[in-house]
Amino acid sequence: VSSLGVYNEFASLQPSEGNECIKANAKSCGECIQVGAKCGWCTDPEFLKQGEATSTRCDELESLRKRGCGGAKVENPRGSQWILKNKAVTNRNKGAKKLRPEDITQIQPQKLTLSLRSGEPQSFNLKFKRAEDYPIDLYYLMDLSYSMKDDLENVKNLGTQLMLEMSKITSDFRIGFGSFVEKTVMPYISTTPAKLLNPCTGDQNCTSPFSYKNVLKLTSNGQEFNTLVGQQQISGNLDSPEGGFDAIMQVAVCGEHIGWRNVTRLLVFSTDAGFHFAGDGKLGGIVLPNDGKCHLENNMYTMSHYYDYPSIAHLVQKLSDNNIQTIFAITEEFQPVYKELKNLIPKSAVGTLSANSSNVINLIIDAYNSLSSEVILENSKLAEGVTITYQSRCKNGVTGEGEMGRKCSNISIGDEVSFNISITAKQCPKMGKPETIKIKPLGFTEEVEIALNFICECDCHKNGTENSEICHNGNGTYECGACRCNEGRIGRHCECSTNEVTSEDLDKNCRKDNGTDICSNNGDCVCGTCECKKRENPEERYSGKFCDCDNFNCDRSNNKLCGGHGRCECRVCICDANWTGSACDCSLDTTTCLASNKQICNGRGTCECGTCKCTDPKFQGPTCEICPTCPGVCAEHKECVQCRAFGTGEKKETCERDCSYFNLIKVKDRDKLPQPGQAFPLMHCKERDANDCWFYYTYAVNNNTEKEVHVVETLDCPAGPDIIPIVAGVVAGIVLIGLALLLIWKLLMIIHDRREFAKFEKEKMNAKWDTGENPIYKSAVTTVVNPKYEGK
């Protein structure tokens, strides 16, 4: 036997809302550990304070540790697991030494035991590997109603042909044959008794109808299959749906008659019609539900007239229980019906059967490959309060969770896949008895058997003392540091009877200063003693004889109880070393007040609660070392102000590194600079750069100890004494030259004009004009003669 240890550590558990350990109000260690995996029980007899109930011992582990209960004083049993049978999966190749089916292993491990603590999952890995050359049993169940006449002819040679094809998959193959028609009651098969002998019409020779007949037990002799199937005759009935469900039920439950082995079991169901199911038997006066048992006599189903058809759910259960995978070979017309049926039956497939069943071999091979390429895990019924989850790690790194975590697809022969299975108990079952569950791949006979043991009591329970004197003269069992009271007794030490709980005399002992409030309204009076109420926050507790104290109503600092530097006891802060004050917020440590010269507050102030109070008004800062108005301040900050404000100066290359210690604010002119009289001192500075330009700024440390510099954004650069005459001379020279050039141009233009005019006058005087008539001249006068005018 090998131990796997605890698979899941407590630290990995997710926290729940609130403190479930406190809410449970557990009265014993056993009750406490059943609340959840985060809960522990303190066995220290001195653990409880005055006013605290026994159930206070049950708390989260960290809360118990903070209250001084840890290590061996805390009962916190953990779950465990042991593998009892762990035979490796078979590595076998086709052609290797033949193994018996029971010697082939496809699933690992085979048997283990889990010890479960409430709320703590136990996980293990399950391997599955499709073995090479795994044996196959195939049973062919055929509808022999009249419409399947031509199909029967093709099935007669199915045995040898299917043997040949299946030999490519496995060397160990067996085949069987069965047939069905309908229940042998009048409304289904005939309207008259005469039709019972030959239900077919005309001169057709048909056999008498029957519900189900086991024609051939599973055999490796294909020729025998052909012979017996060849002897079968078609029958007939009235309605279209057939009684196939009766036949499937008998094939599933009559294992000895069929000859099923613990190998891959395939059932091929071939028909061209629908099916009857539970309730349809009433048409023939059959009201008894199907009992799911074998009723074969001489290979014939003898109770079809007595029991109704099985329901679909009943069939699913029996097929699963007997690890049978179903292949529906159905004609095109009824494909939609059987596809819906397939969705209800795990590990089943539907293939389209041709009109005469000529494609049945290919249909079977394809359906088998489809079924065998997928593994789906199922588990038996779980005990109350037990849950199981699956996570698959399939081929090519594909993973799945939830319902998809139960399956892996596209598995080839020789492929290995694994599943991580987690089992969790939410509570202990009644009487705490062990349970057994089984997990198996659908359609396979191998399974994993898991024994579940439940941790319902603490180890210290075994050492309890019954009728202990500690428990008020033997009124309880002293175990795990507390009394577990006998029936009818209550109180921390079982000192009181339940009949005395409401007694007025006892309640007087629970009123402080003879007041009216019982247990200060923060608890219950039990046997004359206050048992304080619990709060949602496990860190907060009421205590005291009258529950008048608590540990959460002390002064706070920075929103922390007692400033985070003390503990609250009965509404008063008890400060840690070097802390004082009502909220423990005043530090007595003076190291934070030491200046660079090792003096407290630079000798210019006092250290109060770890902070300097400067007594010299000129000095500021956390250690009274900053003096904004002291000489030398301006020169100290000149280079940094220059590089940050104007990008010049000796530090312009290292400005970002050396000069980021103050906040820079630019203003437009000197009037905008801060003026004296503010809440904090400031220094006005005037400095000159390398170009003899002045810049103005102020330096100060504000009330938040932040350094601030306000600087005028423009430089003040006065003009030099020699530059103006030079500029003026240059300008005057340029003006004179311009005027001279203008005058010269004007003079030249006058001379040119005069020359041109003289030349014109001379040419005019020398001109000789021709006084003759212009040949192209036309007079502007037009003369018109009136033809009627006669000179009168």
Side-chain angles (χ1 to χ4, degrees):
V1 177
S2 61
S3 174
L4 292 180
V6 178
Y7 209 90
N8 295 283
E9 294 296 331
F10 172 76
S12 68
L13 296 171
Q14 297 296 322
S16 61
E17 295 184 4
N19 188 329
E20 59 182 359
C21 311
I22 293 290
K23 291 179 179 178
N25 200 30
K27 298 296 192 296
S28 67
C29 186
E31 290 181 20
C32 179
I33 64 172
Q34 291 183 51
V35 175
K38 296 186 295 182
C39 302
W41 177 271
C42 183
T43 61
D44 184 358
E46 306 299 324
F47 175 72
L48 296 180
K49 295 182 178 180
Q50 189 176 37
E52 291 184 332
T54 301
S55 58
T56 308
R57 294 179 178 274
C58 183
D59 206 341
E60 294 181 351
L61 301 179
E62 183 62 20
S63 296
L64 293 176
R65 185 190 63 78
K66 287 181 179 179
R67 293 192 61 189
C69 188
K73 296 179 181 179
V74 175
E75 279 286 324
N76 180 36
R78 313 311 304 170
S80 58
Q81 55 186 244
W82 297 270
I83 293 182
L84 305 178
K85 187 177 181 181
N86 196 29
K87 185 179 178 182
V89 292
T90 302
N91 292 311
R92 180 193 181 204
N93 296 320
K94 189 175 178 182
K97 180 182 177 182
K98 191 169 184 179
L99 298 175
R100 296 179 303 170
E102 55 267 27
D103 294 331
I104 299 175
T105 303
Q106 297 184 105
I107 192 168
Q108 178 188 2
Q110 295 81 38
K111 190 174 184 179
L112 64 157
T113 296
L114 304 181
S115 291
L116 298 179
R117 159 87 183 268
S118 294
E120 178 192 32
Q122 289 295 316
S123 301
F124 64 93
N125 284 324
L126 183 147
K127 292 181 184 177
F128 176 83
K129 182 176 182 180
R130 275 190 65 190
E132 299 265 1
D133 198 24
Y134 195 69
I136 299 173
D137 285 352
L138 184 147
Y139 192 84
Y140 197 92
L141 182 59
M142 185 174 180
D143 175 8
L144 285 188
S145 59
Y146 187 77
S147 58
M148 294 287 286
K149 181 179 179 181
D150 54 344
D151 299 80
L152 180 60
E153 294 301 318
N154 285 311
V155 174
K156 288 179 180 180
N157 297 318
L158 179 64
T160 52
Q161 295 176 13
L162 191 57
M163 281 282 185
L164 181 62
E165 290 296 324
M166 293 301 288
S167 65
K168 300 175 184 178
I169 299 174
T170 177
S171 60
D172 189 355
F173 176 71
R174 300 197 309 169
I175 188 171
F177 184 83
S179 58
F180 66 92
V181 181
E182 186 55 276
K183 286 184 179 295
T184 54
V185 289
M186 296 296 291
Y188 291 114
I189 59 173
S190 177
T191 55
T192 63
K195 283 287 185 179
L196 285 175
L197 295 178
N198 186 0
C200 298
T201 59
D203 57 351
Q204 298 291 334
N205 186 21
C206 297
T207 187
S208 299
F210 56 90
S211 179
Y212 163 65
K213 180 193 299 182
N214 178 26
V215 177
L216 176 65
K217 188 175 182 180
L218 288 164
T219 178
S220 56
N221 189 339
Q223 190 58 48
E224 184 182 4
F225 179 95
N226 292 349
T227 301
L228 288 176
V229 174
Q231 298 172 0
Q232 303 306 304
Q233 286 184 297
I234 291 296
S235 184
N237 64 320
L238 287 180
D239 61 342
S240 175
E242 312 294 0
F245 275 17
D246 272 343
I248 293 176
M249 177 62 75
Q250 294 303 299
V251 171
V253 299
C254 297
E256 292 185 3
H257 294 269
I258 304 301
W260 291 119
R261 298 176 295 171
N262 285 330
V263 297
T264 299
R265 299 175 176 180
L266 299 178
L267 169 61
V268 179
F269 182 83
S270 175
T271 185
D272 63 351
F275 48 83
H276 285 296
F277 53 89
D280 288 352
K282 292 180 181 179
L283 296 174
I286 302 172
V287 295
L288 283 178
N290 195 286
D291 65 351
K293 295 180 180 180
C294 181
H295 296 288
L296 290 185
E297 293 182 14
N298 296 322
N299 289 321
M300 296 290 291
Y301 178 40
T302 59
M303 301 296 285
S304 67
H305 64 287
Y306 192 74
Y307 289 118
D308 193 5
Y309 302 98
S311 66
I312 295 175
H314 200 180
L315 272 187
V316 170
Q317 177 194 346
K318 292 301 180 181
L319 289 171
S320 176
D321 290 346
N322 292 280
N323 307 304
I324 296 173
Q325 304 177 60
T326 310
I327 299 172
F328 294 106
I330 311 299
T331 54
E332 183 70 33
E333 180 184 357
F334 287 93
Q335 282 288 309
V337 175
Y338 282 90
K339 284 182 178 178
E340 289 296 325
L341 180 62
K342 168 192 171 295
N343 294 333
L344 301 175
I345 302 179
K347 293 294 281 186
S348 63
V350 176
T352 303
L353 190 68
S354 62
N356 57 3
S357 297
S358 59
N359 68 331
V360 68
I361 292 180
N362 290 334
L363 186 155
I364 292 172
I365 298 296
D366 292 343
Y368 169 74
N369 289 332
S370 174
L371 290 173
S372 61
S373 67
E374 182 177 62
V375 58
I376 303 174
L377 297 184
E378 70 166 358
N379 51 266
S380 59
K381 185 178 179 181
L382 300 174
E384 185 179 357
V386 176
T387 60
I388 186 169
T389 60
Y390 297 84
Q391 184 179 37
S392 60
R393 291 189 289 270
C394 306
K395 191 176 178 180
N396 299 325
V398 177
T399 60
E401 295 183 350
E403 283 302 308
M404 296 305 296
R406 291 175 174 265
K407 64 167 59 178
C408 280
S409 302
N410 301 319
I411 303 172
S412 303
I413 293 175
D415 287 344
E416 182 177 295
V417 296
S418 64
F419 299 85
N420 182 264
I421 302 173
S422 292
I423 299 178
T424 308
K426 301 298 183 184
Q427 61 190 35
C428 277
K430 294 178 181 178
M431 307 301 291
K433 291 182 179 180
E435 298 281 347
T436 299
I437 62 172
K438 294 180 180 180
I439 299 174
K440 69 174 183 178
L442 280 173
F444 294 84
T445 56
E446 297 175 63
E447 61 187 13
V448 182
E449 182 179 318
I450 307 169
L452 304 181
N453 296 321
F454 300 92
I455 302 174
C456 300
E457 283 291 353
C458 302
D459 291 338
C460 57
H461 169 73
K462 303 172 185 176
N463 302 320
T465 304
E466 294 184 0
N467 302 320
S468 171
E469 290 297 319
I470 299 175
C471 301
H472 197 266
N473 301 321
N475 284 318
T477 300
Y478 185 74
E479 61 179 46
C480 304
C483 285
R484 179 185 284 190
C485 299
N486 295 335
E487 189 74 24
R489 304 296 297 188
I490 56 173
R492 187 187 291 188
H493 296 100
C494 311
E495 65 272 23
C496 194
S497 169
T498 53
N499 298 325
E500 302 171 353
V501 172
T502 58
S503 170
E504 184 65 26
D505 293 335
L506 293 174
D507 287 349
K508 290 181 180 179
N509 297 327
C510 298
R511 294 188 176 96
K512 184 178 181 180
D513 299 330
N514 291 322
T516 58
D517 293 337
I518 295 178
C519 300
S520 306
N521 290 327
N522 294 324
D524 300 315
C525 187
V526 180
C527 298
T529 304
C530 284
E531 286 194 359
C532 302
K533 295 178 182 177
K534 297 176 183 177
R535 290 179 60 83
E536 185 72 20
N537 185 346
E539 304 294 330
E540 299 177 355
R541 296 182 298 276
Y542 292 110
S543 60
K545 182 178 180 181
F546 300 102
C547 300
D548 52 342
C549 291
D550 64 61
N551 67 343
F552 54 87
N553 273 321
C554 291
D555 290 344
R556 295 175 178 265
S557 178
N558 293 326
N559 203 31
K560 292 182 180 179
L561 192 67
C562 297
H565 304 297
R567 65 185 186 278
C568 181
E569 292 188 3
C570 205
R571 304 181 181 180
V572 176
C573 284
I574 307 299
C575 299
D576 297 337
N578 288 327
W579 291 92
T580 188
S582 63
C584 301
D585 54 350
C586 182
S587 174
L588 300 178
D589 186 6
T590 59
T591 56
T592 56
C593 295
L594 287 178
S596 56
N597 57 10
K598 303 302 180 184
Q599 288 185 310
I600 292 178
C601 300
N602 195 29
R604 301 180 182 276
T606 59
C607 186
E608 299 178 7
C609 297
T611 303
C612 283
K613 301 293 184 183
C614 301
T615 54
D616 190 331
K618 293 190 298 182
F619 285 84
Q620 296 175 270
T623 54
C624 303
E625 294 181 88
I626 300 173
C627 181
T629 59
C630 292
V633 170
C634 292
E636 179 183 352
H637 303 293
K638 170 188 172 183
E639 296 296 337
C640 280
V641 174
Q642 188 178 353
C643 80
R644 286 189 61 184
F646 307 107
T648 60
E650 295 179 2
K651 291 189 176 183
K652 67 178 182 178
E653 300 297 334
T654 60
C655 192
E656 186 175 350
R657 183 190 70 192
D658 298 339
C659 301
S660 58
Y661 60 87
F662 59 82
N663 297 326
L664 182 71
I665 301 100
K666 291 185 178 182
V667 297
K668 290 188 176 297
D669 51 56
R670 293 172 65 181
D671 294 339
K672 303 296 184 182
L673 290 173
Q675 301 301 317
Q678 298 182 127
F680 46 86
L682 61 86
M683 188 73 173
H684 276 263
C685 301
K686 175 183 178 183
E687 298 292 339
R688 187 163 58 183
D689 64 11
N691 296 323
D692 289 330
C693 294
W694 295 93
F695 57 95
Y696 301 90
Y697 65 93
T698 62
Y699 176 82
V701 180
N702 63 24
N703 292 332
N704 295 325
T705 69
E706 296 173 339
K707 299 177 178 64
E708 286 185 355
V709 171
H710 289 72
V711 62
V712 179
E713 63 183 6
T714 56
L715 293 168
D716 185 1
C717 300
D722 299 325
I723 194 73
I724 294 175
I726 294 173
V727 172
V730 171
V731 172
I734 292 172
V735 171
L736 290 174
I737 292 171
L739 289 173
L741 291 174
L742 183 61
L743 290 172
I744 292 171
W745 176 78
K746 185 65 176 177
L747 180 61
L748 291 174
M749 292 302 293
I750 292 171
I751 294 171
H752 178 268
D753 289 341
R754 287 181 177 180
R755 286 179 178 176
E756 290 295 319
F757 183 77
K759 183 180 178 181
F760 170 77
E761 288 293 330
K762 183 179 178 181
E763 290 178 350
K764 185 175 74 171
M765 293 178 63
N766 293 334
K768 293 181 178 181
W769 305 99
D770 188 357
T771 58
E773 190 174 332
N774 188 349
I776 63 172
Y777 171 77
K778 287 185 179 183
S779 174
V781 179
T782 303
T783 302
V784 179
V785 178
N786 186 351
K788 296 289 186 179
Y789 180 66
E790 299 179 355
K792 290 180 182 182

